[in-house]
Amino acid sequence: MSEPKIVDARGSFCPGPLMELIAAMKEVDVGDEVEVLSTDEGSANDVPEWLDKVGHELVENFQEDGVYHIRARKAK
């Protein structure tokens, strides 16, 4: 498995991290993963909701040292 594409959205506020994820998902192939790094608490909920709505897979979602790590796999 290849390394995920990292989207460093630390310091931006929602919907910024989500918009950066959407742009990144357009650039990767089906099956590839994208990891968003965000300091905005809203991202921990907004990003998984969007992934569920559009049919992509949430791989993991955790917070470490004040940074949310949200990893998604492109499903279609």
Side-chain angles (χ1 to χ4, degrees):
M1 182 163 78
S2 63
E3 292 293 315
K5 178 180 180 75
I6 302 296
V7 174
D8 189 348
R10 290 178 283 188
S12 77
F13 298 97
C14 248
L18 176 60
M19 300 309 290
E20 292 189 44
L21 171 64
I22 292 170
M25 292 297 262
K26 291 179 180 176
E27 297 175 359
V28 300
D29 295 324
V30 172
D32 287 348
E33 294 181 358
V34 177
E35 183 171 340
V36 179
L37 306 179
S38 176
T39 50
D40 182 73
E41 186 176 347
S43 299
N45 294 319
D46 294 347
V47 170
E49 285 179 15
W50 177 79
L51 293 170
D52 186 54
K53 180 179 177 181
V54 299
H56 296 306
E57 180 183 348
L58 177 65
V59 176
E60 62 182 356
N61 183 4
F62 64 94
Q63 182 187 23
E64 183 176 82
D65 298 328
V67 177
Y68 294 91
H69 297 254
I70 308 163
R71 186 181 294 198
R73 182 175 298 120
K74 185 171 182 173
K76 56 183 180 179

